[in-house]
Amino acid sequence: MRISTTLAALTIGLTLATTGNAQPMDLNVVSRIRQEAFYNSQVMQTFTHLTEEIGPRLTNSPNMQKANDYAKSKFNEWGLSNVKDVPFEDFGRGWDFRSAHVEMIAPRAFPLHALPKAWTPGTNGPIEGEAMAVTLKSAEDFKKYQGKLKGKILFLSELRAYKPGTEPDQRRYDDAGLAALQSFAVPKTMTSDRAKRIKDFRDREKFTRELNKFLVDEGVLATVSISGWDNGIIRVGGAGSRRAGESVGVPDLAMIAEHYNQVMRMLDHKDVVRIRADIEARFTSDSNDPGYNTLAELPGTSKADEIVMLGAHMDSWHTGTGANDNAAGTAVMMEAMRILKSIGVKPKRTIRVALWGGEEQGLIGSADYVSKTFASYPLSTKPEDADLPKSLRPRTGAMQRKPAYDKFSVYFNMDNGSGKFRGIYAQENLAAMPIFQEWLKPFNDLGATTVVSRNTGSTDHISFDRVGLPGFQFVQDGLDYFTNVHHSHLDTVDHASEEDLKHNAAMVAAFVYAAAMRDERMPRKAVIEE
């Protein structure tokens, strides 16, 4: 008899729910959590301070330091313990962005909406130059432009046709969407692509260095690329280099598609397009400085040496205010700690919150913390591998567990915007599924009902999961996270939901308290080592 994958997954989930070691929630505590979260909430005060008082928080920027200091001050104010910043590796230079003014001055006057990429230089005052469309995708392309680029502002992307949207910008899960998450696809057997990833990384880094040098040597004034999204959205990340001693090239901008395409059409018509730009951006240090994670604890009682963790990354990109990515997660995790402290619970295990830095550059803060605190792989120390990030450096032995490894229970993360929690991804940890089903029951009336066996990635819980420690991310309503705000200049408070943030803070507080009170630590799945 053939059973559909969805029905099979649901059957497995129901079976596990009736047979697993799923201790029920303490409903008296959950009621107190809900009351504090819904009627005495401070989540929006924290959220708006991080975004509208401090602003965007690029790792190692002055604003990120302000955010670290602010979080520590609130943790101390709330009476938490072991409040501190913990450094992670030599991240690189700090960078700060103040303003950008870009305009077409010929063949007609017209403002152009563009913003700089992180870790690229400013213009040191207004510059003017002729726009020129070029193709620079490999070092071989340099030859045809040598001696022709001095004083030019280069447009590096091709014109892109507008793509009308067919879906609403803001989305919430319906029953069918939640049911679809229950299906699990058996992964295909794949050979390791580490060698290819290492080659691709080195090729990219080599070309970036060559391009930066070429642009400076040729006297280019600035470069411009098209934003990855339409509808007037500037989606932008980093360029140049955050590493001290490396060339940062020339000012590098991302421009909205609708303005970029206008310039490209004019150039195609052989118009002479002149552009004026004034970009105020600066490096704030000349050395490869460490970044910082901010930590605090609610001490445990009978199992105080065992740890339950919750966290979110506090760093952001620089053009919006980093509201949904990820002041939302930071504010929720801070609020969960405030709630637990406020209602006076005495957890068996110590509850530790971590606000990570360097997530946007590859989970750097959380990965460094996990490797130093819980477990790590010995990595190649060969000189030829020194240029590789730790995530790509060849491993030279089996995973090495530190004493804290066996004292760790679970980590919960938030990093998919401000949307409401509708459930949780179990990361293929089937033994955790009935536990989560039980913990969701007090939140079923709020729409949180779904435990999904499948994995989700690209957030800080992966730093724990990859060394076999239970790390989980919640299923969230998408809102307009992936249509308007993700890594864009529209990532502001207006795109967040206050009610959803309150809901999420209550759920996190309940989940971490339940984990801290369990008789046993959370079950673990097998470690799959490459």
Side-chain angles (χ1 to χ4, degrees), residues 326-402:
N326 188 29
T330 298
V332 162
M333 297 308 179
M334 291 177 67
E335 175 72 354
M337 294 296 283
R338 187 200 66 81
I339 290 167
L340 293 172
K341 182 64 179 179
S342 178
I343 66 175
V345 295
K346 303 295 182 184
K348 294 178 182 178
R349 294 176 179 84
T350 295
I351 298 173
R352 180 182 298 160
V353 62
L355 307 177
W356 310 113
E359 188 274 349
E360 296 292 3
Q361 290 71 48
L363 315 183
I364 294 174
S366 60
D368 187 81
Y369 177 80
V370 168
S371 68
K372 291 176 179 175
T373 308
F374 300 114
S376 63
Y377 291 90
L379 302 177
S380 170
T381 58
K382 295 179 179 178
E384 61 265 31
D385 295 325
D387 64 321
L388 296 174
K390 289 182 178 179
S391 60
L392 288 179
R393 207 167 295 171
R395 296 172 180 172
T396 58
M399 187 174 73
Q400 298 174 343
R401 294 165 174 81
K402 295 173 173 57

Side-chain angles (χ1 to χ4, degrees), residues 46-163:
T46 301
F47 181 56
T48 54
H49 188 94
L50 285 167
T51 54
E52 299 192 337
E53 296 297 323
I54 294 176
R57 301 162 305 282
L58 191 74
T59 298
N60 276 15
S61 69
N63 278 3
M64 185 62 179
Q65 182 176 343
K66 291 178 183 177
N68 291 126
D69 292 343
Y70 170 72
K72 291 199 298 288
S73 72
K74 298 305 289 185
F75 289 149
N76 283 317
E77 176 188 324
W78 297 335
L80 298 178
S81 302
N82 294 329
V83 178
K84 59 186 176 181
D85 284 340
V86 177
F88 58 86
E89 67 177 34
D90 291 338
F91 178 83
R93 291 178 289 183
W95 184 85
D96 189 29
F97 157 61
R98 300 294 180 86
S99 64
H101 302 281
V102 185
E103 58 185 325
M104 181 193 304
I105 55 176
R108 61 186 177 88
F110 184 73
L112 298 170
H113 295 177
L115 293 170
K117 298 176 184 178
W119 293 293
T120 62
T123 57
N124 295 315
I127 59 171
E128 290 185 15
E130 183 180 332
M132 180 177 178
V134 300
T135 299
L136 295 172
K137 295 183 178 179
S138 72
E140 289 299 310
D141 293 326
F142 298 166
K143 298 174 185 177
K144 59 185 174 184
Y145 296 113
Q146 283 179 329
K148 302 176 182 178
L149 303 180
K150 186 175 179 61
K152 298 291 195 297
I153 294 176
L154 305 185
F155 278 62
L156 302 179
S157 309
E158 296 178 357
L159 182 148
R160 186 182 71 231
Y162 175 77
K163 297 179 181 178

